Amino acid sequence: MALRKILTEGDEQLLKHSRKVEKFDNRLHTLIDDMRETLENSGGVGLAAPQVGILRRVVVLLDVNKEPEEMVELVNPEVIEQKGSERVVEGCLSVPGVYGYVTRPTWAKIRAQDRFGNWFEREGEGIVAQCFCHETEHLDGHLFTEKVEEYIDPEAMQGGDEE
């Protein structure tokens, strides 16, 4: 496993649409393992492959609602259902030091494949639902800053979450 460099705002890769994963091989497994290690090292809660320069539909995220926290691997994910709405503070590993209010669902269901190609569905509430939406938007070349309703002074942040 290896730490990958997280691309930051201004890098063209972050604005490109990611391609569907077709081959579930050792190369994919290495990417997922590297992304897991990079996320663990970053202090964030979610990471999409475009953030490490790979235009494939792959996401890793922490389900912080589980005890202990669980690392979730999503290949070809899509949000298939969402409910509720709340204004939340969001940040992003690719936009360091920037935080703002965005409106996200309070609950979401995602459909994805695991690293071996098996389909599954998973539900998430709160920050996990937020993360499902935030990370899948990365796969379509979008940053959370497109959705920010109001920016927050980083010094006013008290342990906010970066995704």
Side-chain angles (χ1 to χ4, degrees):
M1 293 200 308
L3 288 178
R4 303 250 181 152
K5 179 181 184 275
I6 298 174
L7 304 180
T8 54
E9 191 173 30
D11 192 302
E12 292 293 313
Q13 292 281 89
L14 294 171
L15 305 177
K16 294 181 179 176
H17 191 86
S18 295
R19 295 186 301 278
K20 182 177 180 183
V21 172
E22 305 277 352
K23 292 172 69 178
F24 295 82
D25 56 11
N26 285 339
R27 198 166 165 201
L28 173 66
H29 298 183
T30 298
L31 170 63
I32 292 170
D33 291 342
D34 289 355
M35 287 176 62
R36 288 174 66 112
E37 186 175 354
T38 302
L39 180 60
E40 288 169 356
N41 189 262
S42 74
V45 292
L47 185 67
Q51 292 180 273
V52 293
I54 306 297
L55 293 175
R56 291 285 185 267
R57 299 188 77 78
V58 178
V59 166
V60 294
L61 60 90
L62 277 177
D63 187 336
V64 296
N65 296 337
K66 298 278 187 207
E67 187 57 52
E69 292 179 348
E70 181 183 345
M71 183 74 74
V72 181
E73 302 170 357
L74 304 169
V75 179
N76 298 322
E78 55 185 304
V79 176
I80 57 172
E81 195 177 340
Q82 43 190 335
K83 295 179 185 162
S85 176
E86 67 180 332
R87 194 167 185 245
V88 294
V89 174
E90 206 161 282
C92 180
L93 294 170
S94 290
V95 192
V98 175
Y99 300 92
Y101 286 103
V102 297
T103 299
R104 295 285 188 194
T106 55
W107 176 91
K109 183 188 284 187
I110 201 157
R111 182 172 188 263
Q113 290 171 279
D114 66 18
R115 65 170 57 211
F116 303 105
N118 303 306
W119 285 98
F120 67 95
E121 291 181 358
R122 189 176 183 113
E123 299 176 16
E125 292 183 302
I127 194 168
V128 176
Q130 179 183 348
C131 200
F132 284 167
C133 296
H134 178 113
E135 298 307 332
T136 55
E137 287 169 2
H138 273 299
L139 302 178
D140 294 325
H142 298 288
L143 293 173
F144 90 104
T145 50
E146 296 172 37
K147 291 187 160 311
V148 170
E149 299 156 8
E150 176 187 352
Y151 286 97
I152 299 168
D153 179 354
E155 292 181 19
M157 291 294 299
Q158 300 276 336
D161 293 311
E162 285 195 58
E163 296 182 34

